[in-house]
Structures are given as structure tokens and as C-alpha cells.
Amino acid sequence: MVQVDAIKAFDDNYIWVIKDPTHSTCWVVDPGDEKPVLDYLSQHNLTLEGILVTHHHWDHTDGIAPLLSCFPDLTVYGPKNGKYQGITQPLVEHDSIVLAGITLNVIATPGHTLDHICYVNNEIAFTGDTLFNAGCGRLFEGTPEHMWHSFSKLLTLPDTCQVYCTHEYTLANLTFAQAVEPNNHAIAHYHQQAQALRKANRRTVPTTIGQQKAINPFARAAQPDILSHTPKQFIQAKDTPEARFAALRKWKDNF
Ligand SMILES: [Zn+2]
């Protein structure tokens, strides 16, 4: 079983470390800052083999060039045709990669950015800024339709699949989730758990696909009554999962 560890970066980013238990090597996902990665490697006596990139934003990529100057042979996986120029192994949907003894499949998940990809298998998913615990990334480049379609792909993963997203936005997301569904006991219950975790300075990530189906309003846009507490000005004429997702995203942007 692969081991995944977290390196904290900036205010609320996690740089995920995929450790090969049989070797003293590891991979990192979205290193926006090289310093905490280099500290982690020396503390744990690990060699960096490569990097996985989900999308081009600076807080996911700025550490790559400095890491390459320390480890010139690094493999840098990332989206083909993205805006970040430092990818050595460009990937598209349906590609798969093998690292640290596991296979990860690439799915295209446009929405937050157009180049966004996720790395998934039935046990783990690295979802970058697409699927957050109880939320979703802002739509900087894509449309609500893009993001709903991307979410739908992630929601086909097994309920037990562990979801590793990049940001610790969970408490703010849960405040919004409770506004969307004030009578959803799963959200209220999990909000209390997450508050206790954060108070103890512990992570709320990873989560699971099953949990997201229960508490994440954006993952629940297929529920016909999901907008029953949404202010009218955000609701669209159509009543489809995409339109409900769009309404929720617009409300969250103004929440
Ligand atoms: Zn981003």
C-alpha cells in the first residue's frame, strides 16, 4: 500500500508526498514552494524521483524549477498544452503512469483552469483545485458545465477512494454547505468533526468520495431539491444538474 504524506506550504496548501515504501524515494504533487519540500526530504532522508502537476497556477508550480536545479533528472508529469512550460512528460486523459509501485490514471478535469488534470485510481485521487473537501475550485477559465462534467468523472470513483486536494478550505466550505442544506445532518455532524480537527491543528484532508457525496453541495447538484435554500437571484431558468451547479457556484462566489 502506497504511503501519502503532507507537506504544508503557504497558508493553506498541501504538497502531497507519494512514498515508495520499498525504496527511499518519493514523488511530490504540485510543489508551489521548494523550501518545505527540501526540508521534508532531508528530514526523512528521501530522494525525490519526480513531480506531478495538476494545473499551471503558481502555487502549484513555482517550486519546480528550483527543485530541478537540485535534482536535474526529475520527471515532471503534467497537462499537455497547459500554460506551464516545465512539463517533461505531458499527459492527456486516459494516459496512466506508474510510480512508487502504483498506477495512476489521468482524467481531464477542466473548470478551475482549462488544463487541469487529476491523477486517480480506485484507492487514491489527487484532485488539485477541482474537488475540495466540501467544495470546488473557482471557475477561472472553465464553465460550470465543464466543472460539473469533471466532478461527475470523479464521482464515479469508489466511495472508499481517498481524495487528496490541494487546499485546506474545509471549514469555510462547510459553512457554505450548511447554508445550502441547513437540514442535512451529515453536513452538520461533519462540520463539528472538522472544527475539532482544525482546533487541534490537524488536517481535514484526505476525505473520501463517499463523504463528498454526502456533504459537498457541488457533488450533490444532481439532487433535485439542492437549491431549495438558494437565493432566487442565483437560480437559472433551466433545472439541470449543470444549472444547479452553476447556481451554487455563483452563490459561493458571492457568499
Ligand atoms: Zn489553482
Side-chain angles (χ1 to χ4, degrees):
M1 184 66 185
V2 70
Q3 296 172 352
V4 181
D5 211 350
I7 300 171
K8 284 191 193 176
F10 310 116
D11 289 335
D12 50 31
N13 283 52
Y14 296 123
I15 298 170
W16 298 109
V17 185
I18 307 170
K19 291 199 268 189
D20 187 339
T22 56
H23 301 90
S24 303
T25 57
C26 67
W27 293 70
V28 290
V29 183
D30 288 344
D33 188 0
E34 75 283 6
K35 287 183 208 76
V37 176
L38 292 169
D39 288 347
Y40 179 93
L41 294 172
S42 72
Q43 277 162 20
H44 293 81
N45 210 12
L46 290 168
T47 304
L48 188 62
E49 288 234 324
I51 292 168
L52 276 62
V53 177
T54 61
H55 66 293
H56 66 83
H57 282 158
W58 68 270
D59 62 318
H60 299 245
T61 53
D62 270 9
I64 298 174
L67 288 170
L68 272 168
S69 65
C70 301
F71 306 96
D73 296 330
L74 289 181
T75 301
V76 184
Y77 286 116
K80 193 180 182 183
N81 302 324
K83 290 180 187 165
Y84 177 69
Q85 299 298 317
I87 305 298
T88 65
Q89 298 287 319
L91 300 168
V92 295
E93 182 153 76
H94 303 308
D95 281 344
S96 54
I97 59 177
V98 178
L99 51 91
I102 58 164
T103 301
L104 290 169
N105 305 307
V106 176
I107 55 172
T109 51
H112 174 68
T113 62
L114 290 176
D115 68 347
H116 203 296
I117 58 175
C118 295
Y119 300 88
V120 308
N121 65 28
N122 283 339
E123 283 83 43
I124 52 176
F126 296 97
T127 61
D129 287 356
T130 296
L131 173 60
F132 290 136
N133 192 349
C136 82
R138 278 179 186 270
L139 303 179
F140 288 117
E141 297 176 10
T143 63
E145 289 75 18
H146 281 135
M147 194 60 134
W148 172 247
H149 186 55
S150 298
F151 255 60
S152 303
K153 293 181 194 175
L154 290 166
L155 294 173
T156 64
L157 293 167
D159 283 355
T160 51
C161 179
Q162 303 272 315
V163 175
Y164 295 87
C165 57
T166 301
H167 293 281
E168 180 64 63
Y169 291 160
T170 311
L171 290 185
N173 287 340
L174 284 166
T175 300
F176 178 69
Q178 283 205 284
V180 175
E181 292 189 273
N183 303 317
N184 181 324
H185 297 298
I187 295 173
H189 179 68
Y190 181 62
H191 200 172
Q192 287 185 340
Q193 282 185 336
Q195 280 170 329
L197 284 169
R198 296 306 294 149
K199 211 171 170 188
N201 203 22
R202 289 173 60 194
R203 293 188 260 123
T204 64
V205 186
T207 174
T208 63
I209 291 292
Q211 183 163 45
Q212 293 311 299
K213 288 179 184 170
I215 60 133
N216 185 328
F218 297 97
R220 295 169 57 73
Q223 308 276 335
D225 59 350
I226 193 75
L227 299 185
S228 43
H229 294 86
T230 299
K232 293 277 177 288
Q233 72 259 35
F234 303 118
I235 297 178
Q236 310 197 341
K238 279 187 295 181
D239 187 32
T240 60
E242 291 87 343
R244 288 178 219 134
F245 188 98
L248 291 171
R249 188 60 258 180
K250 215 173 203 178
W251 185 15
K252 178 71 161 60
D253 289 342
N254 292 280
F255 191 68

